[in-house]
Each structure stands twice: as C-alpha cells, then as structure tokens.
Amino acid sequence: MRIINIITGILFLLLSVFIFVSTFFFKQTLIADMFLGATFFPRIVAGFMAVLSGMLIAGQFSPAGKADTRTAGFFFNRKILKPVTIILFLAVYLVLLDYLGFFIPTVALFWSVLLLFKEHKKSYYITGIIFVAVIELIFSRVFQVQLPAGIVGF
C-alpha cells in the first residue's frame, strides 16, 4: 500500500468537492438552458476528479495495492520542488485574478512556468500572449462567459 496514493486521493477528493460546491456561487451567463451554463463543465470535471480519486484510494486496498510497501518518504525530495513551485504559482495566480483580471496574471503564470523550466525561446513567450488573448476572445465572444476584469479592465 502506498501511503502517498491515499494522501493524494484524499486531497484531490477534497478539491473536487470544493470545486463542485463553488459552482453554486457562479453567476449565470446569458446563454442558459436547463443543463448548460457556467456551472456545467466545472461540475463535470469535479465529478470525474472525485471518481478517479475514489478509484486511486480504493486501489490501494486491493491485493495488488497492498504489495507495494513504499512509504511517503520518497515523496519529499528534490524532484518535488518544481511541482510544489507550480502549485505556489497557481495560488498567487488565483489571488491576482480578482485584482488584475484574467489577461495579465495568466500571461505571468505562463511565463513563470516557462522560466521555471529554463525555457528561453522568445517565440514561446510571444505564443503565450497570443494563446491567452485567443482564449479570452473565445470565452468572452463565443461562450459569452465573463472573465475577471480586475482593476485593469481586461
């Protein structure tokens, strides 16, 4: 039994519950019918995440899962620094979304991850700006989902 799989499963199960509960506080968009709206996709993702988390936890109690006796000690080494750093980037990103809007924090997150992985091609940074702009246009014009505007206004 791998303790880290149980811990990870529980954490993602809690995250899926948080995401699902958060959807009850979403503002409804202009395009809404019985099932589709701003809450539809996040609820689907939360449901799949909960099912997969449950499978990960349950798999650790099967005979195949009990054969693996490694503990969580291997989890706390240098290999975990980049994923933890990305999680911290995401936490800062979520805070900045309300204040600066969607565009600036998303580009900053994109660039931060590129810098973390020591990527220095300028074309990737330009692609990041274009990608975020296209995503913002698709969500605002096609899906008519209001993205955070922040104090900047875009």
Side-chain angles (χ1 to χ4, degrees), residues 66-88:
K66 290 181 180 179
D68 192 357
T69 58
R70 289 185 284 177
T71 62
F74 75 96
F75 186 70
F76 301 103
N77 59 28
R78 292 187 58 85
K79 292 179 183 178
I80 197 66
L81 288 179
K82 284 185 181 176
V84 168
T85 305
I86 291 174
I87 290 171
L88 293 174

Side-chain angles (χ1 to χ4, degrees), residues 99-101 104 149-154:
Y99 298 108
L100 298 177
I104 294 172
I151 59 173
V152 180
F154 65 91

Side-chain angles (χ1 to χ4, degrees), residues 27-73:
K27 293 180 183 176
Q28 193 61 16
T29 59
L30 298 175
I31 299 176
D33 53 33
M34 280 181 146
F35 300 106
L36 299 177
T39 61
F40 178 74
F41 187 70
R43 286 182 181 169
I44 295 294
V45 170
F48 278 122
M49 191 183 322
V51 168
L52 292 174
S53 299
M55 289 172 58
L56 181 63
I57 294 168
Q60 298 311 302
F61 296 104
S62 71
K66 290 181 180 179
D68 192 357
T69 58
R70 289 185 284 177
T71 62

